[in-house]
Amino acid sequence: MDQKILSLSADKKTDKLQRYLQTVKEAELVNLITKVAVNGKEHGALLRAIFKGSPCSEDAAVRRRFAVYKYCIEFVESGDLQREVAAEIVGLLMLEVHQFPAPALLELANLFLDTVKAGNLSSGKSLELFPNVLKALSARETLVYGNGDITGEECKKQIINSLCSSRWDPKCVIFLTSMFRDVLLSTEELQFVAEKVIRLLSKVDLQEMPPLVYQLLLLSAKGSKKNILEGIINVFNDLDQQLMTEEKDEGSLDLIDSTLPKEQLRQVEGTIILHIGFAVKFDQDLGRELVKAGQQGDSSKFLCPFSIALLLSVSRIQRFEKQVFDFLKSTILKGFKDFQFQQGSKFLRDLVPQPPCVSTLLLEIIKNSVFGWDHVTQGLVELGFLLMDSYGPKMIPGAKVSEAASGSPSQQASQLGSKILLETFKVHEPVRSVIFEQVLNRVITKATIPTTHFIELLSDIVLATPLIMQKSSSKLTATFDHLPDLPFSTVQGLLKALQPVLKINVSVRDNVILVLRKAMFSSHLDARKSAVAGFLLLLKNFKVLGSLSSSQCSQAIGASQVLVDVHARYNSAANEAFCLEILGCLRRCLSQQEDIRRILYEGFYEVIRRNSQLARPIMHTLVAQLKRYYEPEPDLLPPLMLEKCITAQKELIILLEPLAHLLSSIHSCVSWYKERSSLLQERGMDDNDDEYYLGCQQEIDEIMESITRRMIKCDLEEFELDKSADFSLSSGVGMKNYNYAVLVMGVCEVLIEYNFSTANFSKSKFEDILGLFKCYNKLVDILKEKSAKGRSSGGSKAYRSLLSTGFVSTLLTALFRDNLKVREESLSVLRSNLDFMRYVVGIALQKIQQLKETGVTDGPDGQNSEKMFHSICEITKVLLWRYTSIPCAAEDSGKKDKGKNISLLCLECLVQIFNTIQLHYQPKISQFLAALDDEDEEEAGAVNVLEKASSLITQFQRSLRIQLDSGEDEFNSKESVLLVNILFTLYRFLDSSSQQFVQMLSWTMKICKETDLEDVQFCKGIMTLLFNMHSLFKSPVSLLRELSQDIHGHLGDIDQDIEVEKPSHFRIVNVKTATPTVTLLVLGQSAKVLDEVDWLVTKLKTQLGSEKLLGDGGSQAPNPREPVEKAIILQLGTLLTACHELVQTALPTGSCMDTLLKELTKMYTVLTALVKYYLQVCTNHAGKIPNRLEKLVKLSGSHLTPQCYAFITYVQSIQSENIAGDKKKKEDAAAVSTAKVLRDTKPIPNLIFAIEKYEEFLIKLSKKSKVNLMQYMKLSTSRDFRINAASLDVALQEKGSDEENDQSVSEQAESQEPKKKRRRK
């Protein structure tokens, strides 16, 4: 039969073929097609013959064609055909589609619809035909559809709508999406199709997602790119959230097996990110839409691990690199700023939910990237370095290094960059070398700017993976070659960070030693200092066998991976020889500059403490150095040869030997030896070098005793120092005398510490201490007197005490808390000297301030964080007891000398201590509070921080209440201000939602309401405390309104004829404190509230832009923005009433007036922003104007704008009077007065412009909303000019009386005209 049909089709005439086909039944024809197609031969020719013999002019032929089409579609979908055969059949069917009449086309289209609805698509090959069917349909002018006639284009739309509205089998989604690529779609149709596919994306199997997304990306070439991208991102964000929820509930008993395999999901996400990255390479519009979606949309909704990873992948494309990283950088910083902004305001926290933390999202990406996301890691590394480079510490010329404030957004962004690099380094081996090299390059090349953050990152990397660093020997060796050229602080940090590597890599260590030896002989001082510090670091960490273990020395390598020790490779003798060789190098430093010697002396104690077997050569070196300056004759005065400690360089006299530091180092080493001996005795161990140490100790004790005895006998004249001596730093003699004085003071301090530690509470020893202090104190008084007299000729450097922090803690405890009867007599010697007591507390204050500013202190263990914390706890206990036991008032009443109050000094120390704890020891607050009550550290974990902090706060509240109740005559302003400062720090220890916080806020409010004091500093402190606490509890706008009324009442009205009632909400506000103190605080807090409102309005605009537009008919769905809108209007309304009071207040010229004008400008700017938002709402048909806004506009028109113009008139009149007064005082002050007028009146045009801008947008909103908002606003004449009637009458009278002299006056005016013009300028 097939041959018959083929032979008939060979004829040019088709009559015979047509007649023959009419005799063939459809079933036979179908069987024939099946047979031929399965064999894979002549199937194309057969189909062409059938179509040739079935012209569409005959109904039977059309039905035959349709039957063939129907069967072929089913046959192709069955999967029984070879791919090539199926493709050829579909190709033939596509060529013949346009021959069908319209009804047959419609029937064919419905056939496809039924096939999709039934889910009978197995291969989807037949769907290639459907676009041609739709195209042929749309080409028909009219066709019958349903009960009427419609155009072909409209019919196509109906079919597409029907197809997208029907249920799709998940297996068919990919085929259908691919099919729509070939269909000509309108924008609406494309959006409809895209939404349908995106809805089904989450329902298909995970392995089906990448090909489906690929088809979606191909479909996006037609348009709707933004919707497709956002849809994909939302789907995977939801899947991530689902996975996180399942992981959180993992321990639940009711949990069924996880529906989402994590590893498979991450691999699918990685594949899809790769697909989108490739698509962006070929379609840059897709990339632009992706970046735009992040920039213009709501970032809190857009940002998720998947979207950020996608952006990082796209950043590899050069065209989008800068855009992506700029967006991510700004978003990260904005996220931290917004978080900090919200944390400072209860009002914002209640209104706006906390957005997802950007840090968490980025660190989540790093975890996910282990599942084959290699295309994301490069972006992660670049982002990490970008954050560290952009937001790390900066160097400001002529100032200290500008470290980002602790916890500031910039610092958090820099720390995030460091975390990204560290975590990426840990999990991705391919980028390790890149990260390591880049960090080292930045440390070396950025020597002129701070690199502490990069050194900290390097330290973290080395500690995390020290053995991996073994592979980077060449890079480290190249880096160390640059050591002599780097700043001293950088070298110190770099060597410390790389210490674990030096322990396990011999070649690197040898290279470091070689470089340090060369640096020792460098001509640059910094290079030599670096060499000394480097050698000391090596001595600390390369222990000779027999030294105390690292745990006993409070030193660990810091990495669990390092199981190798130097001793495993080298015997004891070799290791000891290595250390002794380094010591030999360091001995050469004893003839170098004072800075280098001081580093050496301070470092020797740390070396002995960690490497105890080196104590013998070090102590020998130190004692030998001391003997060079020690006078051995027991009766000669002075005992030290100070002239050898200084040297002359041209006209300069400089210090060469820091003798006091040398003595301090010797004393620290001896103290270490005594502790070590007692430790060994407790363990029943013997020291092989015990005899040597005993002999050395005895020799040192004799020298120290001799120096002490002779120093007490010495007068200042013995050192060529007396009150008449010159101490200015501008002359050689003065520099010599100053250096002598500093040396003697330092020696006295070291001897005080030595004698106390060896005194064993001996009365005679304590008398010696007072003798030494007397010498020290004389020099302090002389230097103070000379510096006070000669400030202009060059002051002296600030002197830093050489007492160790641990000793200060011990001494304070003995002076104030030691109650043993046996020691009472000896301690009374020291306690009777109030100057000595003040001195000790003053040194404690100096040490704590240094710790607060730098995180470390001078002296032994000054860099040991644990020991410093322990010392602070001890000092706090003592000072707290001293202040509460002996109040300032009690001390003043019995005090005979004029020295500073000790209790007040204690209070100053406590202020600094609490700030230091808050700044450097935040995680240890519970231990700190426990230590104040003498509780063990083990119990600190169970400490209730709220209760402890509340108890501490109550103590200081009680002290402040006593001060306030003492009356104005006995009121101690300084003490009260310090107490408020302490409370200001301590309230941060409380949770703002706790009952203790509420109680403290109520107490502060009560103080402000009931206290009637004219002390400006106290008022400023307590009001600042009130505002800060109130913001964390609720919005302070009602507080601002009451304070504004009080200010208005006390200062009076700008209209002198109006008498203002004097409300007394807060008695702390009075004539003296109202301006500028309280006024500026109120205005500052108002500015903060306006910033919050402005932030909320910006959030609303972003939210509105990301919402779908409502139809013109409007929807009755509730407005999700309404709570925020309501809160904004209430805030502005209340604040507006506060401004209403202030703007009518007769403020004096100066900061208050200028600040009020600026805040009024800001108020109108925020009002304008709110009006613009509602204009956007009306434009988008997303709602209508609420009645609350009308009331706010009415309030601004009646209670603010008229008063603003009146206030402007008042300001200008006040300034005119001031200028007139200035002119009378100085004839040549015209230019100065003019400049002052321009400067003072600058805020006024800004305010008028802001008011007019506000009114302009009110007019626009009125037109858009059909609500007349301008009915509440009244135009003022102040904006252009004002006519003063009285001045006009006087001018007219003068004109009439001078009319007869008009000519002469005109000539005179003409001759003086240039001069007048210059004066106006």
Side-chain angles (χ1 to χ4, degrees):
M1 187 186 293
D2 55 336
Q3 295 302 321
K4 177 77 172 173
I5 293 172
L6 291 173
S7 62
L8 290 173
S9 69
D11 294 340
K12 290 185 179 180
K13 293 184 179 180
T14 60
D15 299 341
K16 292 180 181 180
L17 179 61
Q18 289 177 19
R19 285 196 295 274
Y20 181 74
L21 286 175
Q22 286 172 0
T23 64
V24 180
K25 295 180 180 179
E26 286 184 8
E28 293 176 351
L29 200 61
V30 165
N31 291 333
L32 182 62
I33 293 172
T34 304
K35 177 184 172 184
V36 173
V38 170
N39 291 333
K41 295 178 182 179
E42 297 181 339
H43 52 276
L46 178 63
L47 284 174
R48 278 192 287 271
I50 293 170
F51 291 144
K52 187 177 180 181
S54 306
C56 290
S57 56
E58 299 175 8
D59 291 342
V62 170
R63 283 197 299 276
R64 188 184 310 117
R65 274 182 175 248
F66 184 79
V68 171
Y69 264 78
K70 183 178 179 182
Y71 174 71
C72 285
I73 289 170
E74 293 173 356
F75 196 26
V76 166
E77 285 300 324
S78 67
D80 296 334
L81 293 175
Q82 297 177 12
R83 185 176 297 176
E84 295 80 6
V85 174
E88 189 176 350
I89 290 172
V90 171
L92 286 170
L93 297 179
M94 289 168 66
L95 290 172
E96 296 293 329
V97 163
H98 66 282
Q99 301 289 344
F100 273 112
L105 283 172
L106 187 57
E107 191 175 354
L108 192 58
N110 287 328
L111 174 64
F112 275 104
L113 284 178
D114 294 338
T115 306
V116 171
K117 289 176 183 178
N120 293 333
L121 294 172
S122 58
S123 67
K125 190 68 182 173
S126 63
L127 283 175
E128 294 178 14
L129 180 61
F130 192 46
N132 293 62
V133 175
L134 292 176
K135 184 178 179 182
L137 266 176
S138 63
R140 300 292 190 269
E141 291 184 5
T142 59
L143 49 83
V144 178
Y145 187 83
N147 297 325
D149 294 343
I150 58 173
T151 62
E153 188 64 36
E154 188 63 33
C155 181
K156 186 192 84 169
K157 287 182 181 180
Q158 295 285 349
I159 292 170
I160 291 174
N161 184 60
S162 177
L163 179 61
C164 291
S165 302
S166 63
R167 179 185 172 279
W168 292 3
D169 191 301
K171 296 176 183 177
C172 308
V173 179
I174 297 173
F175 308 140
L176 289 164
T177 309
S178 176
M179 177 270 294
F180 275 114
R181 288 167 43 207
D182 299 323
V183 178
L184 189 63
L185 299 170
S186 66
T187 306
E188 293 79 10
E189 289 169 348
L190 179 61
Q191 188 171 344
F192 191 30
V193 170
E195 287 175 1
K196 172 73 175 179
V197 177
I198 287 167
R199 279 199 304 274
L200 292 169
L201 178 60
S202 59
K203 297 177 182 178
V204 301
D205 293 338
L206 284 176
Q207 63 268 23
E208 298 293 330
M209 285 183 170
L212 179 54
V213 169
Y214 179 72
Q215 294 300 331
L216 265 175
L217 293 172
L218 293 175
L219 186 64
S220 70
K222 290 175 170 288
S224 200
K225 293 179 172 60
K226 184 180 178 184
N227 291 338
I228 289 173
L229 285 170
E230 288 181 347
I232 294 170
I233 289 169
N234 290 335
V235 166
F236 284 99
N237 187 24
D238 292 342
L239 288 173
D240 283 341
Q241 294 296 328
Q242 183 184 339
L243 185 64
M244 286 172 62
T245 306
E246 289 180 358
E247 287 179 346
K248 283 180 183 176
D249 298 338
E250 196 171 348
S252 173
L253 297 174
D254 301 329
L255 184 68
I256 309 171
D257 291 339
S258 177
T259 55
L260 276 176
K262 182 176 181 179
E263 185 174 350
Q264 188 180 358
L265 175 61
R266 298 304 178 216
Q267 289 170 348
V268 165
E269 288 177 336
T271 307
I272 287 170
I273 290 170
L274 201 58
H275 280 331
I276 297 175
F278 279 125
V280 170
K281 278 185 182 178
F282 297 108
D283 185 359
Q284 293 184 345
D285 288 339
L286 194 66
R288 277 192 285 271
E289 286 297 334
L290 177 63
V291 177
K292 196 187 294 182
Q295 290 173 337
Q296 297 180 355
D298 188 349
S299 59
S300 62
K301 293 180 180 178
F302 176 80
L303 291 181
C304 61
F306 181 83
S307 63
I308 297 175
L310 183 56
L311 285 168
L312 290 171
S313 178
V314 169
S315 70
R316 295 190 304 166
I317 302 168
Q318 189 175 1
R319 177 161 188 170
F320 296 105
E321 182 180 8
K322 187 175 185 304
Q323 295 177 49
V324 168
F325 284 129
D326 285 349
F327 166 67
L328 287 175
K329 190 174 79 167
S330 61
T331 302
I332 287 167
L333 187 65
K334 183 177 180 295
F336 285 127
K337 283 181 177 178
D338 287 354
F339 178 77
Q340 193 178 62
F341 200 53
Q342 276 186 270
Q343 290 303 107
S345 170
K346 182 73 161 54
F347 169 68
L348 291 182
R349 288 203 305 272
D350 291 344
L351 277 177
V352 182
Q354 197 65 51
C357 178
V358 189
S359 302
T360 309
L361 298 178
L362 282 163
L363 296 176
E364 184 69 25
I365 291 171
I366 297 171
K367 290 179 188 175
N368 298 345
S369 64
V370 298
F371 299 102
W373 293 17
D374 296 335
H375 43 284
V376 175
T377 51
Q378 182 186 337
L380 281 169
V381 172
E382 289 184 30
L383 178 63
F385 280 115
L386 181 66
L387 291 174
M388 292 189 75
D389 289 336
S390 303
Y391 301 121
K394 301 288 185 291
M395 178 69 80
I396 300 173
K400 292 182 180 179
V401 175
S402 171
E403 285 277 3
S406 179
S408 68
S410 295
Q411 189 191 46
Q412 287 177 313
S414 177
Q415 288 173 347
L416 174 59
S418 180
K419 281 182 192 173
I420 290 170
L421 292 171
L422 177 61
E423 296 302 320
T424 307
F425 187 92
K426 287 179 184 178
V427 299
H428 289 289
E429 187 176 354
V431 295
R432 281 176 183 164
S433 59
V434 176
I435 294 174
F436 191 61
E437 189 173 351
Q438 288 289 328
V439 172
L440 288 176
N441 287 346
R442 279 166 168 78
V443 171
I444 293 168
T445 58
K446 299 195 174 187
T448 55
I449 63 173
T451 54
T452 50
H453 52 314
F454 287 111
I455 291 174
E456 286 170 7
L457 171 60
L458 184 64
S459 177
D460 291 338
I461 287 173
V462 172
L463 286 174
T465 54
L467 297 178
I468 294 173
M469 295 296 103
Q470 286 277 59
K471 303 174 184 177
S472 306
S473 300
S474 58
K475 290 175 186 173
L476 289 173
T477 302
T479 301
F480 288 136
D481 290 340
H482 297 279
L483 284 186
D485 304 320
L486 296 177
F488 172 59
S489 58
T490 303
V491 174
Q492 267 189 314
L494 189 60
L495 289 174
K496 201 169 183 180
L498 295 171
Q499 201 59 228
V501 181
L502 300 180
K503 282 182 172 291
I504 58 177
N505 194 317
V506 182
S507 63
V508 173
R509 189 195 71 185
D510 292 343
N511 181 260
V512 169
I513 293 170
L514 188 63
V515 170
L516 293 177
R517 275 180 176 167
K518 288 180 182 177
M520 187 73 82
F521 300 99
S522 171
S523 58
H524 299 292
L525 179 62
D526 258 14
R528 298 199 298 279
K529 285 165 68 176
S530 298
V532 174
F535 278 137
L536 287 170
L537 205 60
L538 289 172
L539 288 176
K540 280 186 231 175
N541 290 281
F542 287 85
K543 290 187 281 294
V544 179
L545 280 178
S547 297
L548 293 178
S549 66
S550 61
S551 60
Q552 293 162 346
C553 297
S554 305
Q555 171 67 19
I557 295 171
S560 59
Q561 296 96 321
V562 180
L563 303 175
V564 186
D565 195 85
V566 187
H567 316 140
R569 274 197 155 163
Y570 298 98
N571 58 37
S572 177
N575 207 35
E576 186 173 3
F578 162 71
C579 291
L580 291 175
E581 186 183 355
I582 292 177
L583 275 176
C585 292
L586 289 175
R587 284 195 188 97
R588 296 171 187 167
C589 301
L590 295 176
S591 59
Q592 295 198 17
Q593 284 91 338
E594 179 259 347
D595 285 352
I596 294 173
R597 298 188 195 190
R598 183 157 36 84
I599 292 169
L600 191 62
Y601 297 152
E602 290 174 352
F604 271 157
Y605 167 70
E606 291 293 324
V607 171
I608 288 180
R609 197 170 65 82
R610 300 188 190 186
N611 205 347
S612 57
Q613 288 298 307
L614 295 176
R616 182 171 183 170
I618 287 175
M619 290 175 75
H620 176 76
T621 302
L622 290 173
V623 172
Q625 183 72 1
L626 176 61
K627 286 180 179 178
R628 294 174 61 185
Y629 307 99
Y630 171 66
E631 181 59 64
E633 289 295 327
D635 297 326
L636 280 181
L637 298 178
L640 298 168
M641 293 176 271
L642 297 185
E643 63 276 4
K644 289 186 178 181
C645 298
I646 61 171
T647 185
Q649 283 187 358
K650 297 181 180 178
E651 297 179 357
L652 294 175
I653 305 295
I654 61 170
L655 185 63
L656 188 63
E657 178 63 62
L659 191 57
H661 288 82
L662 173 59
L663 278 171
S664 176
S665 181
I666 291 172
H667 165 62
S668 301
C669 292
V670 171
S671 300
W672 163 84
Y673 166 70
K674 290 175 182 175
E675 288 180 13
R676 177 175 176 273
S677 298
S678 62
L679 179 66
L680 291 174
Q681 285 174 8
E682 285 176 11
R683 298 181 179 181
M685 299 167 63
D686 293 328
D687 189 352
N688 297 330
D689 292 330
D690 199 38
E691 290 183 9
Y692 170 79
Y693 286 129
L694 284 173
C696 186
Q697 183 192 349
Q698 189 176 357
E699 184 182 10
I700 291 170
D701 284 342
E702 288 174 1
I703 292 173
M704 292 295 226
E705 293 286 349
S706 175
I707 296 174
T708 301
R709 188 176 62 256
R710 285 186 278 171
M711 285 292 289
I712 294 168
K713 291 179 182 178
C714 282
D715 292 327
L716 292 182
E717 287 77 7
E718 304 287 349
F719 301 104
E720 302 176 15
L721 301 173
D722 55 29
K723 289 187 177 181
S724 61
D726 178 17
F727 289 93
S728 67
L729 299 181
S730 55
S731 66
V733 175
M735 291 171 71
K736 185 195 80 168
N737 290 338
Y738 177 76
N739 284 326
Y740 276 2
V742 169
L743 283 173
V744 173
M745 287 163 64
V747 168
C748 288
E749 284 197 315
V750 175
L751 291 174
I752 287 171
E753 182 169 344
Y754 168 78
N755 280 279
F756 188 89
S757 62
T758 59
N760 197 19
F761 294 91
S762 160
K763 185 176 180 181
S764 60
K765 283 279 189 180
F766 284 176
E767 288 171 351
D768 290 347
I769 288 173
L770 285 185
L772 291 166
F773 173 69
K774 183 180 178 184
C775 177
Y776 170 89
N777 211 30
K778 281 181 185 177
L779 284 170
V780 170
D781 291 341
I782 291 171
L783 289 178
K784 277 184 183 177
E785 183 183 343
K786 294 292 181 180
S787 63
K789 286 181 181 178
R791 287 182 191 276
S792 57
S793 61
S796 58
K797 301 174 187 176
Y799 173 75
R800 278 186 174 177
S801 172
L802 290 181
L803 297 183
S804 65
T805 311
F807 170 69
V808 172
S809 167
T810 305
L811 186 54
L812 282 171
T813 306
L815 290 174
F816 295 140
R817 294 299 304 270
D818 197 321
N819 298 322
L820 292 177
K821 291 287 184 183
V822 182
R823 302 172 182 173
E824 188 174 347
E825 184 182 354
S826 57
L827 283 171
S828 64
V829 174
L830 298 178
R831 290 170 178 170
S832 61
N833 191 316
L834 292 178
D835 284 336
F836 182 73
M837 306 265 275
R838 289 189 197 99
Y839 158 73
V840 177
V841 180
I843 297 301
L845 178 60
Q846 183 190 112
K847 294 289 180 184
I848 292 159
Q849 283 176 331
Q850 187 185 6
L851 184 65
K852 176 188 167 187
E853 291 168 7
T854 63
V856 295
T857 63
D858 294 331
D861 299 317
Q863 297 186 354
N864 189 319
S865 179
E866 281 298 323
K867 291 197 173 184
M868 284 299 101
F869 177 71
H870 178 71
S871 296
I872 282 187
C873 293
E874 292 298 317
I875 291 171
T876 309
K877 274 196 295 187
V878 174
L879 297 182
L880 193 58
W881 179 88
R882 174 63 171 77
Y883 174 73
T884 51
S885 302
I886 309 174
C888 295
E891 187 179 329
D892 286 335
S893 62
K895 191 169 70 170
K896 296 179 181 178
D897 61 344
K898 296 182 179 179
K900 201 166 185 179
N901 189 301
I902 295 175
S903 291
L904 207 57
L905 270 174
C906 291
L907 205 56
E908 285 182 37
C909 278
L910 290 170
V911 171
Q912 298 299 329
I913 285 170
F914 293 132
N915 282 326
T916 305
I917 294 292
Q918 183 78 21
L919 193 62
H920 295 293
Y921 298 99
Q922 184 78 23
K924 293 188 174 183
I925 285 178
S926 60
Q927 295 177 34
F928 172 73
L929 294 174
L932 297 188
D933 290 342
D934 293 320
E935 294 178 8
D936 295 335
E937 286 193 13
E938 294 177 1
E939 300 174 8
V943 166
N944 188 326
V945 175
L946 283 176
E947 289 182 4
K948 292 285 183 186
S950 180
S951 173
L952 196 59
I953 287 167
T954 305
Q955 287 186 48
F956 292 108
Q957 285 177 333
R958 195 179 300 119
S959 299
L960 183 57
R961 173 54 73 184
I962 291 170
Q963 274 295 316
L964 297 175
D965 293 343
S966 62
E968 243 180 275
D969 295 336
E970 297 181 11
F971 178 72
N972 188 329
S973 173
K974 191 164 186 180
E975 182 181 0
S976 300
V977 171
L978 289 171
L979 286 168
V980 171
N981 288 342
I982 287 176
L983 292 173
F984 190 83
T985 305
L986 290 179
Y987 91 82
R988 297 189 182 98
F989 292 2
L990 302 176
D991 183 2
S992 59
S993 60
S994 65
Q995 187 61 35
Q996 290 87 343
F997 184 90
V998 177
Q999 288 172 356
M1000 184 177 175
L1001 176 59
S1002 303
W1003 180 87
T1004 310
M1005 182 81 78
K1006 188 178 179 184
I1007 291 290
C1008 293
K1009 286 189 172 183
E1010 296 178 357
T1011 305
D1012 186 10
L1013 281 174
E1014 294 188 349
D1015 189 282
V1016 173
Q1017 291 303 319
F1018 173 74
C1019 174
K1020 183 177 181 180
I1022 198 73
M1023 289 300 294
T1024 304
L1025 174 64
L1026 176 64
F1027 280 135
N1028 281 359
M1029 292 191 71
H1030 206 284
S1031 296
L1032 295 174
F1033 181 66
K1034 66 175 184 179
S1035 177
V1037 283
S1038 56
L1039 194 68
L1040 294 173
R1041 180 174 57 192
E1042 293 177 355
L1043 283 165
S1044 300
Q1045 290 170 355
D1046 288 347
I1047 293 168
H1048 189 191
H1050 285 290
L1051 296 182
D1053 200 90
I1054 55 176
D1055 187 346
Q1056 296 178 359
D1057 298 333
I1058 296 176
E1059 186 175 347
V1060 186
E1061 293 183 10
K1062 290 188 177 181
S1064 57
H1065 299 107
F1066 292 87
R1067 294 183 64 192
I1068 195 80
V1069 182
N1070 49 55
V1071 176
K1072 190 170 181 180
T1073 60
T1075 176
T1077 308
V1078 178
T1079 304
L1080 289 179
L1081 285 172
V1082 167
L1083 290 172
Q1085 199 64 27
S1086 302
K1088 186 182 174 186
V1089 172
L1090 286 173
D1091 286 337
E1092 291 175 359
V1093 171
D1094 192 34
W1095 185 81
L1096 284 173
V1097 172
T1098 307
K1099 282 275 181 191
L1100 284 179
K1101 287 179 180 176
T1102 307
Q1103 190 178 345
L1104 181 64
S1106 62
E1107 285 177 4
K1108 292 183 178 179
L1109 303 183
L1110 298 174
D1112 290 338
S1115 173
Q1116 297 303 317
N1119 177 11
R1121 305 179 306 279
E1122 186 177 1
V1124 181
E1125 292 175 0
K1126 182 179 179 181
I1128 286 173
I1129 293 172
L1130 287 174
Q1131 287 285 96
L1132 286 175
T1134 313
L1135 194 59
L1136 198 145
T1137 56
C1139 290
H1140 169 72
E1141 296 289 340
L1142 288 175
V1143 83
Q1144 296 180 87
T1145 306
L1147 295 172
T1149 308
S1151 56
C1152 291
M1153 191 177 282
D1154 292 344
T1155 309
L1156 177 57
L1157 287 169
K1158 288 173 185 175
E1159 290 313 314
L1160 289 170
T1161 306
K1162 197 170 191 176
M1163 167 68 85
Y1164 278 105
T1165 305
V1166 174
L1167 285 169
T1168 306
L1170 183 64
V1171 171
K1172 284 181 180 178
Y1173 162 71
Y1174 277 108
L1175 191 60
Q1176 186 180 344
V1177 169
C1178 293
T1179 305
N1180 293 353
H1181 306 288
K1184 60 179 184 178
I1185 293 179
N1187 293 330
R1188 287 186 297 272
L1189 181 68
E1190 288 188 55
K1191 291 178 182 177
L1192 180 66
V1193 172
K1194 182 178 181 181
L1195 193 65
S1196 68
S1198 60
H1199 279 62
L1200 193 59
T1201 305
Q1203 286 78 5
C1204 280
Y1205 284 121
F1207 186 70
I1208 289 170
T1209 306
Y1210 165 76
V1211 170
Q1212 291 175 333
S1213 64
I1214 291 289
Q1215 288 173 344
S1216 300
E1217 291 173 9
N1218 291 343
I1219 292 166
D1222 288 344
K1223 284 183 178 178
K1224 289 177 183 176
K1225 290 177 184 177
K1226 293 184 180 181
E1227 293 180 1
D1228 60 341
V1232 176
S1233 299
T1234 307
K1236 188 174 185 298
V1237 169
L1238 289 172
R1239 186 178 68 253
D1240 291 344
T1241 56
K1242 190 177 179 182
I1244 294 175
N1246 292 342
L1247 175 58
I1248 293 173
F1249 177 77
I1251 295 172
E1252 292 180 346
K1253 208 72 181 169
Y1254 171 56
E1255 292 173 353
E1256 175 192 338
F1257 280 96
L1258 276 178
I1259 293 169
K1260 289 182 180 179
L1261 182 59
S1262 299
K1263 291 178 180 177
K1264 199 75 181 175
S1265 64
K1266 306 294 188 291
V1267 177
N1268 185 12
L1269 297 172
M1270 287 303 293
Q1271 62 180 316
Y1272 309 115
M1273 310 300 292
K1274 296 179 182 177
L1275 298 180
S1276 170
T1277 56
S1278 297
R1279 63 186 69 216
D1280 294 322
F1281 61 89
R1282 296 184 301 278
I1283 297 175
N1284 190 319
S1287 301
L1288 181 63
D1289 289 340
V1290 172
L1292 289 172
Q1293 288 173 10
E1294 288 177 357
K1295 184 179 179 182
S1297 62
D1298 294 343
E1299 207 167 28
E1300 56 193 34
N1301 298 323
D1302 187 43
Q1303 185 64 34
S1304 60
V1305 171
S1306 298
E1307 290 173 2
Q1308 185 180 1
E1310 186 177 350
S1311 64
Q1312 294 181 355
E1313 188 174 358
K1315 187 176 180 180
K1316 287 182 180 178
K1317 283 183 180 178
R1318 283 196 297 271
R1319 186 168 293 172
R1320 286 193 196 103
K1321 287 179 184 177

